[in-house]
Amino acid sequence: MQLFEGILVMLSMVLISNIMSRFFPNIATPLIQVVLGFGIALLSFVHSFELESELFMLVFLAPLLFNEGQMVDKKALWKEKKAVLTLSILLVFITVGILGYVIHLLVPLAPWAACFALSAALAPTDAVAVGALAEKVKIPHRMLHTLEGESLINDASGLVSFQFASAALLTGVFSLVDAEVSFVLISLGGVLIGVVSGLLGLWFIRWMKSLGIENNVSYILFELLLPFIVFLMAETLGVNGILAVVSAGLIYSWNYKKINPEVAQLNILSKSTWSIYSFSLNGLVFVLLGTQLPDLAHYVWKTNQINNWTILGYVLIVTTVLLGIRFLCVLVCNNFDGFKGKHDIKKSLLYTVSGVRGTITLVSALSLPTVLSTGDIFIERELLISIAAGVIIVTLLLANFAMPLLADKKEESIETNTEIEVQILRRVTEQLKRKQTEQNTSAIRKVIQLYNERIVSLVNHDEFSEKNKELMELVLVWQLKDTLELVESGEVSLQMVFRRLEVLDRRLFRLTHKPEYSKNSFYKNIIGTHLKFLGTRLTSFDRKKELKIKLKESNRNYVIRMLNQLDTTEFPPELIDFYLTRYEDRDQTVIDMSEDTLDEWLDYAIQLERDYIQKEFEKGKMNRQELTIYRENLSAIESSIQFIA
């Protein structure tokens, strides 16, 4: 029960972090999540969670990296293969060698193997952190693809290096030749297992479809289970599970290459599911990281073996060397742009600070053994773990505050041209109105209402709200006017409608606060203008009921008539339609619509919209990117027609 409660608390922190990021846009969400994790660890039992490396990689890294493998741009990844391999393999090994030596200089009592193990844990960047921080700034496409590819692969090289260093720490034996051969075999084996598993997954889906099993929920459940199966299979066979799940994700994404309605629906469902799943796991990763910090902080501040400021100095030195190696590598490679131009220092710095360290570093450090090969207790273990945690925090802070200075600010994405989209939607509603008959009135009115809601979500809300207020005032004035005309014609008595007039006037005053609708003005107008109609009439109960129905019907028809006469250039047509629908629906004679009829007119409207989109594109009013986004949005709406009623 305690475990379940802890998970609920951490998931709540993930949700809170997403809300807080809206109030603190300059602070990256992972940093907020780390702080929240630190806070709940101080205030509750959550700090009792222990991050076991194998369990962490299975539960968190396997599905996250599988999804990254599905989503990554394959063509761009292949195009940047030299840069990716340089950063994810060559740079990792260079970092392990140099940084291990530096760490041993700082902590000479620590065994060499432990220093190289820590440097191996610090070498790989964090895919989750890179993606989260990249959302805040505008990173060049080529650089972003390189960073994504690096973070997908360098976990494997870093973990293999860490495993060999840890083994040397436990056994006291290390062979460079054996390590190199094992690295190649383990990596190739992981890729092979991933490719085969991905192909088998595709075959399984197609086999299910050939049996007539068209159940998207089953397909998505299989997709969620696949990374766990692949990772466990790879680890059981002794190959790299990280590369296996990444490779499986790359292959499995072929499932969505084929274009047809069934695949489109499955693709939308898959993206929606993975977006929620990956968001939750991403957040939990950093909240969990935060929960580990109090114990480490306790060691740092309470230990008598070393000064606190000295530990902080170690963290800053290790971070400087770590990022310095990365900076020199990128600068020497001329930012992977070839040798056509000058070395771009600013771009090299952006590459450097983007190399954020995350939970894979902390999990690896926490898995350092507590007993050495000699049988002695590994006294420096907590110190090395504290250094790792400090480097993670410093790189996160540095990336959060330095990346906006080195990169352009990310512009708010405008998915489509709003004005053109509103015009298209209005043209669809106009066509629907022309098709309206007595038999299909209800169905078409429902479809128009759905389109009007879409238009309202796109237009300027302040302007729309003001126009809505004006039209609401007109509607109330029309009801007031029609009621007084009925009084003057003698169809109803002033005595009978006095209460209704008073209510209408009160609503007008609350809406506009105009003095002509105040209580004093109302009584003055009624008594001064319509006093002659004030008389006592003996009316039966049934007759009063009949007259009230007549009054409401007269008001309704009058409002509808006046709405139809309004100039659409003065008021948004969808706003007029909203009030028309509101008053026309009060007509009890409207024919009920069937679901089939509604679906038919929805299909017709969406086809009209699709045709108008194509025409706007052909006229040059919409670029290809806007066309693609618009079509994707329309496909999502079309696939959800079954949920609209």
Side-chain angles (χ1 to χ4, degrees), residues 453-483:
E453 289 173 359
R454 289 176 59 190
I455 294 171
V456 169
S457 67
L458 293 169
V459 297
N460 185 300
H461 289 285
D462 293 335
E463 180 183 350
F464 193 87
S465 178
E466 190 61 34
K467 288 295 181 182
N468 182 36
K469 185 178 177 181
E470 291 179 24
L471 190 51
M472 192 182 299
E473 180 185 357
L474 277 176
V475 169
L476 291 172
V477 168
W478 290 335
Q479 293 182 67
L480 193 66
K481 182 179 178 182
D482 181 62
T483 303

Side-chain angles (χ1 to χ4, degrees), residues 277-418:
Y277 190 39
S278 61
F279 170 77
S280 302
L281 287 179
N282 283 342
L284 282 173
V285 163
F286 288 101
V287 173
L288 270 171
L289 191 156
T291 63
Q292 306 303 306
L293 296 181
D295 287 339
L296 297 175
H298 181 267
Y299 168 80
V300 170
W301 295 108
K302 295 296 182 181
T303 182
N304 295 320
Q305 298 178 1
I306 191 168
N307 183 272
N308 297 328
W309 292 107
T310 302
I311 295 178
L312 181 59
Y314 288 170
V315 169
L316 294 178
I317 292 171
V318 170
T319 304
T320 302
V321 173
L322 181 68
L323 297 182
I325 296 170
R326 182 179 179 86
F327 173 77
L328 290 175
C329 177
V330 174
L331 191 64
V332 168
C333 295
N334 199 25
N335 301 303
F336 309 104
D337 289 335
F339 297 94
K340 297 179 181 179
K342 299 179 180 178
H343 294 293
D344 190 339
I345 301 296
K346 187 176 180 181
K347 194 173 181 181
S348 298
L349 287 172
L350 183 57
Y351 262 114
T352 302
V353 298
S354 300
V356 183
R357 271 56 185 178
T359 45
I360 188 68
T361 294
L362 184 61
V363 169
S364 298
L366 287 170
S367 64
L368 285 169
T370 55
V371 179
L372 301 175
S373 59
T374 58
D376 298 329
I377 296 175
F378 186 12
I379 299 174
E380 293 80 13
R381 179 177 181 272
E382 282 72 20
L383 174 60
L384 296 182
I385 294 173
S386 300
I387 292 173
V391 171
I392 293 170
I393 299 301
V394 171
T395 55
L396 273 172
L397 288 169
L398 184 63
N400 182 79
F401 296 107
M403 285 177 71
L405 301 176
L406 298 169
D408 296 331
K409 186 177 180 181
K410 200 162 191 177
E411 298 176 359
E412 293 295 327
S413 59
I414 302 173
E415 296 188 343
T416 56
N417 189 316
T418 303

